[in-house]
Amino acid sequence: MSPATLRVEVPAVGDARSASAVGSSPRIASLDLVRGLVMVLMAIDHVRVYSGVPAGGPTASVFFTRWVTHFCAPGFVFFAGTAAFLQGRKIARSDLARYLMTRGLVLVLLELTIIRASWTFGVDYTQFLLAGVIWMLGWCMVLLAGFIFLPLRAITAAGLLIILAQNVFGSIGGLLPPSMHPLWELIYPVGAELRVGHAGPAVTVLYTIVPWIGVMCAGYAFGSVMVQPDNERRRWCIRIGLTATVLFVLIAGAEVARGGSAGGPPAFIRFLNQRKYPASPLFLMMTLGPLIAMLPFAERARGRLAATLTTFGRVPLFYYLLHIPLIHALALVVNLLRQGVTHQERYATAPYVSMPPDERWSLALLYIVWLAAVAILYPLCRSYAQRKAQTPQPWMRYV
């Protein structure tokens, strides 16, 4: 996906590249590895959903089981933007825009159909609809299709401004007529209920468009870093990643110190417990900073673990579509072995699952099921990645 010959100058996004000019490179391998790490961590949180373990607290072990998965959505969205930039070096901007719009709409459709059914093992839409991460990713791709026609500096500025000044969208929503508030929930939360029709199912908006379109635009602009010569690329990755991380430490640390203890959670938990819905600037600094700084080290990673993560990172959507129904099925098996019943009824509203505290899984069991799921997924993803590389079909561009 990237030019085999590195150049100091960065070609325009719409610069077409012949297939012969494109080859594999450590840069793309590093992106695949980090993306694969993100995908594997994501599975921890989704096993947690079916285990009944709460999302954070009351102990440090439960908190970090949730916290470590916070890197997933930011990395997924940011590097999707980077991948779009790299794809744009091979094809015309109009073709890239068409691809982004088409793939984005496919993702929205998948969220409402296959992914919804995978979470619940049902097709009952009367209870609720979920606007989850794939829904958000799809609409952000559709919007990015328009952004790519702007100068790169404008895309960079727009992405950072949307992230840092996201509260403005909340203020704008508050100024709109009340009848518009439900639809604005898709853009940024204003506290309104969104339903399909007057008596239709409620729409649970887990991921709003803002600030995530800003994250994708920033990731797209970051693509210009990934095509720099080796030393420059590594230097900029470390600069950007460490700058974001240090800013997070300074600002979040000051907020914790200013807030005092007052009998609340420990300071380190308050320090790391940043707002995810919608993702605050601090949340994004905390997660994207280390991921970006990790890239130069991922370039040098070797061995079986690196190869495994890279395989997952090459087929992220294929992995995503398989991992939810697989984890759901494993949860039913675990329930059957533990209690003699599958308790499928508990998962009718997944990913929102309620379970009696005394029937929740232990963290040890949660991680055993996670490892089993990843082990089952690996040969499937490896086979698909090989087929996609050797005998690609047109539909594979979208999965």
Side-chain angles (χ1 to χ4, degrees):
M1 292 178 63
S2 64
T5 302
L6 298 176
R7 299 181 183 274
V8 174
E9 65 272 18
V10 181
V13 173
D15 184 23
R17 296 273 173 168
S18 66
S20 61
V22 180
S24 61
S25 79
R27 298 196 304 274
I28 299 305
S30 66
L31 289 174
D32 285 338
L33 191 153
V34 173
R35 188 162 44 222
L37 174 63
V38 162
M39 304 304 293
V40 169
L41 290 177
M42 177 184 62
I44 296 175
D45 196 47
H46 294 164
V47 175
R48 180 199 59 76
V49 166
Y50 289 98
S51 73
V53 173
T59 64
S61 57
V62 173
F63 174 82
F64 280 105
T65 293
R66 169 65 168 170
W67 180 84
V68 74
T69 67
H70 285 338
F71 292 85
C72 302
F76 207 34
V77 177
F78 186 84
F79 292 127
T82 304
F85 178 91
L86 297 172
Q87 180 74 5
R89 287 170 56 84
K90 299 191 296 180
I91 60 178
R93 268 186 290 197
S94 58
D95 292 334
L96 177 61
R98 189 177 305 111
Y99 169 75
L100 288 170
M101 289 189 66
T102 305
R103 189 162 194 242
L105 293 175
V106 166
L107 292 179
V108 172
L109 180 62
L110 287 173
E111 180 77 76
L112 297 176
T113 54
I114 293 175
I115 295 172
R116 173 68 167 76
S118 297
W119 279 115
T120 63
F121 280 1
V123 291
D124 182 5
Y125 287 83
T126 61
Q127 297 192 53
F128 77 104
L129 292 174
L130 179 67
V133 66
I134 300 300
W135 161 286
M136 171 273 290
L137 189 68
W139 286 118
C140 285
M141 283 187 174
V142 171
L143 293 174
L144 184 65
F147 275 102
I148 66 171
F149 291 97
L150 298 175
L152 190 60
R153 288 185 178 180
I155 299 174
T156 306
L160 294 177
L161 187 62
I162 291 170
I163 291 171
L164 297 175
Q166 57 181 269
N167 290 340
V168 171
F169 288 87
S171 300
I172 293 173
L175 297 175
L176 295 174
S179 60
M180 294 292 294
H181 288 178
L183 284 178
W184 196 255
E185 284 291 315
L186 296 172
I187 307 298
Y188 199 81
V190 290
E193 182 182 59
L194 176 61
R195 287 188 172 274
V196 178
H198 292 292
V203 179
T204 301
V205 183
L206 194 58
Y207 290 88
T208 52
I209 300 301
V210 174
W212 294 107
I213 180 57
V215 175
M216 186 172 286
C217 285
Y220 182 88
F222 180 73
S224 64
V225 171
M226 297 305 292
V227 296
Q228 296 298 311
D230 289 354
N231 290 337
E232 280 294 303
R233 180 182 67 255
R234 290 165 184 158
R235 189 178 301 117
W236 275 107
C237 284
I238 292 175
R239 282 178 183 172
I240 295 170
L242 290 185
T243 297
T245 304
V246 169
L247 283 174
F248 161 72
V249 170
L250 293 176
I251 298 172
E255 289 187 351
V256 169
R258 186 170 58 248
S261 59
F268 78 92
I269 288 184
R270 287 183 284 122
F271 175 74
L272 295 174
N273 191 26
Q274 301 299 324
R275 189 190 73 204
K276 182 179 180 180
Y277 304 110
S280 69
L282 283 177
F283 178 88
L284 294 170
M285 291 178 194
M286 175 183 71
T287 52
L288 287 175
L291 287 177
I292 293 171
M294 186 189 302
L295 286 171
F297 303 97
E299 290 183 10
R300 299 181 173 88
R302 300 293 184 270
R304 181 171 297 181
L305 177 60
T308 300
L309 294 177
T310 300
T311 297
F312 288 137
R314 286 175 179 162
V315 289
L317 183 57
F318 181 79
Y319 174 103
Y320 191 96
L321 292 175
L322 289 183
H323 91 287
I324 295 176
L326 172 61
I327 291 171
H328 189 160
L330 289 175
L332 298 180
V333 172
V334 169
N335 291 341
L336 185 63
L337 293 175
R338 293 178 75 221
Q339 300 174 288
V341 289
T342 60
H343 282 306
Q344 165 58 27
E345 73 282 355
R346 292 176 176 171
Y347 307 134
T349 56
Y352 299 99
V353 173
S354 178
M355 192 177 297
D358 60 340
E359 295 184 19
R360 294 169 183 168
W361 301 2
S362 67
L363 286 183
L365 179 56
L366 186 160
Y367 281 102
I368 289 171
V369 173
W370 166 64
L371 289 173
V374 171
I376 293 170
L377 287 167
Y378 175 69
L380 301 175
C381 290
R382 181 182 60 184
S383 177
Y384 182 71
Q386 291 173 346
R387 183 182 175 192
K388 191 174 183 179
Q390 296 169 1
T391 57
Q393 302 297 319
W395 60 269
M396 290 181 177
R397 297 179 64 219
Y398 301 96
V399 179

